[in-house]
Amino acid sequence: MERDPDEGMLGWDETVFRNESVFEIDFVPETFRHRDSQMQSLTYALRPAVRGSRPLNVLVRGPPGTGKTTAIQRLYDEIGAETRDVRTIRVNCQVNSTRYSVFSRLFEGTFDYEPPSSGISFKKLFGQIAEQLVEDDRVLVVALDDVNYLFYENEASDTLYSLLRAHEEHAGAKIGVILVSSDPTLDVVDELDPRVQSVFRPEDVYFPVYDEREVVDILRERVDRGFNEGVVTAPILDRVAELTAQSGDLRVGIDLFKRAGLNAEMRGSKTISIEDVESAFETSKYISLSRSLQGLSDSEATLVRVIAEHDGDQAGDVYEAFHEETDLGYTRYSEIVNKLDQLDLIDADYAEIEGRGRSRSLSLSYETDAVLDRLE
């Protein structure tokens, strides 16, 4: 028996989406709302590159989901449309958190193929990049996205020093650097070595959290482009915007709409209901957690599991269990604890323990099940 289209039910070959890619986290919208002043500041800093000069360095700061990466990508697209004499490369430092891996990505962006996996020193890798820039007479603009991960691994100063001093070893090399930090507790400039601070004097561009009115405006455009007409009603848009504003992360709302749309399709409905939204939010609210966990190494993920099993225990007791599983020493263990604390995955609070002095107790910052489910 055929369904009556007036009943508001989807057929097997129908969808609520007009363009599902609009709800991908890395989608770059045609219009970029409520970031005019930030785009003007970035344009000001990079304008010299289009004229063949070294651009100003930039520090881009702001919580996750405030448009920092989108701003960089839009500006890169504009530069690419304007000239071929500027090479723009964005490096994801959550994935590439060492100086060598950062420069491997710069090598790949310069030559369009990856460097050898072994047998090439950093000096040679760096030299080939710089020499190619000089030979092509091109300006390189490097965006170190989520640069806070380089700080967590104590790699930031060495990486930045190499980039900023490139012209001293390779005359004619012109490189500008954009540091993008999503850690509001990290004072980027103060945490750099003095030798780097003396040459890194960036333009400071801050991206604040979107307020609810701005969230509604941005999400409405995504809805208009991504869903068929009538799929999302005004109350649904308002509820998603409310949940998004509470989280402070626009990515939550974007992911929430995608999941809510899929929920509606699973019901065979042509419209998204409040229940579809509330159900989707139980997953979407953890988007920042999922992203942080995906970037962990095996030993870091192991420590998260151990802390989950020993939630609230003292750091020394947690170490004993961690060492049994990994054979890693206390120094590396302490480094990982500090990184997980900086990522807000755990709380590492100091307390006075009778007979032991000050000691840290370690606990997860999220519900245990939510963490363990996303580690699998």
Side-chain angles (χ1 to χ4, degrees):
M1 180 172 133
E2 293 186 1
R3 285 175 172 162
D4 184 345
D6 292 332
E7 290 181 356
M9 300 298 287
L10 287 172
W12 286 103
D13 58 346
E14 293 181 294
T15 178
V16 299
F17 294 101
R18 176 180 296 164
N19 181 0
E20 197 168 347
S21 67
V22 166
F23 301 106
E24 297 298 329
I25 299 301
D26 58 356
F27 176 80
V28 179
E30 292 182 20
T31 55
F32 189 40
R33 298 178 181 273
H34 307 297
R35 288 296 181 250
D36 290 346
S37 64
Q38 289 83 0
M39 290 299 293
Q40 289 171 5
S41 297
L42 287 168
T43 301
Y44 169 79
L46 299 191
R47 188 179 296 277
V50 178
R51 299 194 293 263
S53 300
R54 186 180 297 112
L56 302 178
N57 298 312
V58 186
L59 172 59
V60 174
R61 300 179 297 116
T66 51
K68 301 182 298 299
T69 299
T70 299
I72 300 300
Q73 192 56 58
R74 284 184 64 87
L75 197 60
Y76 275 11
D77 290 345
E78 290 177 14
I79 292 173
E82 183 73 21
T83 178
R84 295 180 59 83
D85 294 331
V86 179
R87 185 178 294 279
T88 55
I89 303 175
R90 172 182 159 266
V91 180
N92 180 352
C93 296
Q94 183 181 15
V95 177
N96 302 284
S97 58
T98 67
R99 182 177 67 162
Y100 193 91
S101 62
V102 167
F103 275 83
S104 293
R105 299 289 72 75
L106 297 183
F107 183 99
E108 183 180 2
T110 300
F111 295 100
D112 295 323
Y113 60 88
E114 293 186 4
S117 57
S118 61
I120 179 169
S121 67
F122 170 78
K123 185 175 182 180
K124 185 174 181 181
L125 185 74
F126 179 28
Q128 290 182 1
I129 296 169
E131 289 166 9
Q132 191 65 44
L133 284 176
V134 175
E135 181 179 331
D136 294 341
D137 193 23
R138 301 181 83 176
V139 179
L140 173 62
V141 180
V142 179
L144 300 180
D145 205 354
D146 278 329
V147 71
N148 34 297
Y149 283 86
L150 290 182
F151 283 91
Y152 303 155
E153 301 294 342
N154 296 315
E155 294 275 349
S157 289
D158 286 344
T159 303
L160 196 53
Y161 186 82
S162 297
L163 289 167
L164 296 174
R165 296 288 191 179
H167 62 282
E168 296 180 0
E169 294 187 36
H170 303 275
K174 291 171 283 192
I175 300 176
V177 181
I178 305 172
L179 301 188
V180 185
S181 173
S182 296
D183 184 346
T185 68
L186 177 67
D187 192 325
V188 169
V189 175
D190 283 354
E191 291 296 325
L192 292 169
D193 290 348
R195 62 191 174 125
V196 182
Q197 290 180 4
S198 64
V199 291
F200 182 62
R201 302 187 179 280
E203 297 292 304
D204 191 0
V205 183
Y206 183 68
F207 285 65
V209 172
Y210 293 108
D211 63 33
E212 191 165 340
R213 178 187 61 81
E214 292 170 335
V215 170
V216 168
D217 200 20
I218 295 167
L219 291 181
R220 180 185 292 114
E221 182 173 3
R222 295 282 180 122
V223 165
D224 290 344
R225 293 180 180 276
F227 285 119
N228 292 324
E229 187 175 354
V231 171
V232 177
T233 61
I236 294 296
L237 175 60
D238 290 342
R239 179 55 177 158
V240 173
E242 179 185 11
L243 293 170
T244 304
Q246 288 174 5
S247 73
D249 188 338
L250 185 65
R251 298 173 304 178
V252 170
I254 294 170
D255 187 71
L256 179 50
F257 262 130
K258 179 175 182 176
R259 294 180 185 277
L262 293 173
N263 287 347
E265 287 190 340
M266 288 298 292
R267 294 189 299 107
S269 175
K270 291 182 177 180
T271 60
I272 292 174
S273 69
I274 286 292
E275 290 74 18
D276 293 328
V277 170
E278 301 296 344
S279 174
F281 183 62
E282 291 305 306
T283 298
S284 297
K285 67 182 180 181
Y286 292 119
I287 191 168
S288 181
L289 169 63
S290 298
R291 188 168 179 271
S292 295
L293 292 175
Q294 287 169 4
L296 298 181
S297 66
D298 290 343
S299 57
E300 291 163 353
T302 297
L303 181 54
V304 171
R305 289 192 182 92
V306 171
I307 292 173
E309 295 167 1
H310 298 79
D311 201 43
D313 286 1
Q314 298 303 304
D317 298 328
V318 175
Y319 169 68
E320 294 298 329
F322 176 71
H323 179 70
E324 280 187 20
E325 291 201 31
T326 64
D327 277 338
L328 291 175
Y330 196 88
T331 298
R332 181 55 186 153
Y333 163 73
S334 183
E335 291 173 349
I336 297 174
V337 168
N338 289 337
K339 177 178 179 178
L340 297 180
D341 190 21
Q342 289 170 316
L343 287 172
D344 288 329
L345 289 173
I346 67 169
D347 295 317
D349 299 322
Y350 280 96
E352 291 289 343
I353 307 298
E354 187 175 351
R356 298 174 63 177
R358 283 174 59 80
S359 178
R360 284 194 291 187
S361 62
L362 306 181
S363 58
L364 297 178
S365 300
Y366 297 85
E367 296 91 336
T368 300
D369 288 346
V371 173
L372 294 180
D373 287 349
R374 285 159 180 79
L375 273 176
E376 293 178 355

